[in-house]
């Protein structure tokens, strides 16, 4: 196995979890992405953006526990999954992982439901703050589910909130980005804030999106804190120069 990438979130409790428990929980999200998303959530707390945290597609809770480590007093983390794959035991593992990795009792909820069967109003009612400041969308990887999950996330998003989309630009799901571009065209107030590149084929890339007015609240800070991972050529994303963070941003030497 490759040596872990030397990256931190800047939050001591989360960094301790990323160094130990994170990889012990079965799951698919990279430690690289968890650190960067954790830093985004920490940044929100630092500048007074409050609200709940939401994940669609928790599986056994690897990424959920990481995000929930950053909850502030009175905030809540809601995890949604059908909890049937690979067996019904995944629900028990999720609940055990939340408890065993130090999340405060009562600060999290597991909602066993198919997101195709819920409305935005039902989702909002499950969020004690009535809105989410950070949403990780990692449910079924097909166009119908992603379109639905994106609209649910959008409906409950804090005005300065961030949506993180999993497995973007993944060789195994090459057409998912079409659904994201359709969403961005439907919601021109939203922008691709940052591409968090993959660690491996399974610990794949995430795309962070937020409202255009919120970009300055995150972009410079991410560039500053993650300077060693900044791919300075960036990405042309629908006319916006989107920040790219990657485990190895080395460019070829051209004399
Ligand atoms: C790739 S896994 C999530 C991995 C997890 N977020 C992590 O980082 O370890 C995708 C999850 O989405 C769930 N899922 C798929 N379709 C769903 C739906 N329609 N509603 C709710 N959950 C769904 C699956 O049960 C599965 O646990």
């Amino acid at each position: 196995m490759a040596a872990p990438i030397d990256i931190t979130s800047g939050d001591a409790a989360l960094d301790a979890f990323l160094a130990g428990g994170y990889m012990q929980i079965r799951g698919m999200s990279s430690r690289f992405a968890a650190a960067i998303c954790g830093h985004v959530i920490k940044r929100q707390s630092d500048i007074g953006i409050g609200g709940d945290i939401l994940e669609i597609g928790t599986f056994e809770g690897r990424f959920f526990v990481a995000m929930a480590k950053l909850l502030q007093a009175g905030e809540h983390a809601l995890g949604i999954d059908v909890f049937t794959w690979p067996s019904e035991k995944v629900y028990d593992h999720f609940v055990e992982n939340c408890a065993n990795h130090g999340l405060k009792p009562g600060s999290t909820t597991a909602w066993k439901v198919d997101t195709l069967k819920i409305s935005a109003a039902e989702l909002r009612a499950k969020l004690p703050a009535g809105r989410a400041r950070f949403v990780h969308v990692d449910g079924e990887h097909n166009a119908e589910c992603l379109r639905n999950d994106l609209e649910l996330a959008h409906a409950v998003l804090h005005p300065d909130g961030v949506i993180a989309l999993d497995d973007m630009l993944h060789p195994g799901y090459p057409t998912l980005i079409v659904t994201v571009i359709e969403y961005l065209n439907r919601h021109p107030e939203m922008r691709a804030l940052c591409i968090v590149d993959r660690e491996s084929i399974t610990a794949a890339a995430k795309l962070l999106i937020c409202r255009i007015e919120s970009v300055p609240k995150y972009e410079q800070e991410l560039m500053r804190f993650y300077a060693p991972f900044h791919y300075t050529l960036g990405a042309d994303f629908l006319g916006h120069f989107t920040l790219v963070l990657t485990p190895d941003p080395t460019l070829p030497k051209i004399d």
Side-chain angles (χ1 to χ4, degrees):
M1 206 166 76
I5 297 159
D6 187 14
I7 187 168
T8 70
S9 70
D11 178 88
L14 174 56
D15 289 337
F17 172 65
L18 292 179
Y22 184 76
M23 296 306 285
Q24 288 161 16
I25 299 180
R26 288 200 301 178
M28 294 80 177
S29 290
S30 74
R31 193 171 148 267
F32 183 71
I36 294 169
C37 291
H39 189 73
V40 167
I41 298 171
K42 179 182 180 312
R43 168 79 177 160
Q44 293 179 327
S45 304
D46 290 348
I47 62 174
I49 299 169
D52 296 325
I53 289 174
L54 167 65
E55 182 171 45
I56 293 175
T58 61
F59 189 50
E60 298 197 349
R62 172 190 282 190
F63 203 78
F64 181 86
V65 172
M67 292 189 299
K69 289 268 173 203
L70 295 155
L71 288 172
Q72 300 296 297
E75 292 179 340
H76 200 83
L78 173 65
I80 298 178
D81 205 295
V82 287
F83 291 115
T84 53
W85 178 83
S87 79
E88 300 279 340
K89 283 196 189 131
V90 69
Y91 179 89
D92 301 324
H93 294 160
F94 174 78
V95 172
E96 282 160 19
N97 284 331
C98 289
N100 293 345
H101 291 278
L103 299 186
K104 277 200 201 107
S107 67
T108 63
T109 301
W111 187 12
K112 182 175 166 63
V113 74
D114 179 341
T115 52
L116 287 172
K117 298 189 177 146
I118 61 173
S119 67
E122 287 169 314
L123 174 57
R124 197 172 296 111
K126 289 272 187 182
L127 295 166
R131 58 190 185 180
R133 60 171 162 135
F134 192 90
V135 184
H136 184 218
V137 174
D138 193 6
E140 191 66 58
H141 287 19
N142 65 36
E144 182 193 17
C145 286
L146 180 57
R147 187 179 307 114
N148 179 67
D149 292 347
L150 264 167
E151 291 301 340
L152 286 171
H154 188 89
V156 300
L157 192 68
H158 183 292
D160 281 321
V162 172
I163 300 174
L165 301 172
D166 186 64
D167 283 344
M168 289 295 110
L169 311 165
H170 187 301
Y173 310 99
T175 60
L176 274 189
I177 195 68
V178 174
T179 304
V180 178
I181 290 168
E182 286 168 358
Y183 161 84
L184 289 170
N185 286 334
R186 273 197 311 280
H187 297 282
E189 73 277 20
M190 304 301 288
R191 177 158 282 175
L193 164 69
C194 179
I195 294 168
V196 179
D197 197 15
R198 80 185 62 162
E199 255 181 30
S200 69
I201 190 83
T202 49
K206 294 194 198 289
L207 172 64
L208 309 187
I209 57 183
C210 68
R211 290 194 168 75
I212 291 172
E213 295 87 73
S214 308
V215 170
K217 296 189 167 147
Y218 302 106
E219 195 175 47
Q220 289 294 325
E221 168 56 21
L222 284 170
M223 261 185 242
R224 183 194 66 79
F225 196 78
Y226 291 115
F229 302 110
H230 185 195
Y231 173 69
T232 49
L233 298 185
D236 176 357
F237 204 122
L238 301 176
H240 173 67
F241 187 67
T242 292
L243 172 64
V244 177
L245 299 176
T246 182
D248 180 6
T250 315
L251 292 169
K253 253 196 148 95
I254 298 169
D255 298 322

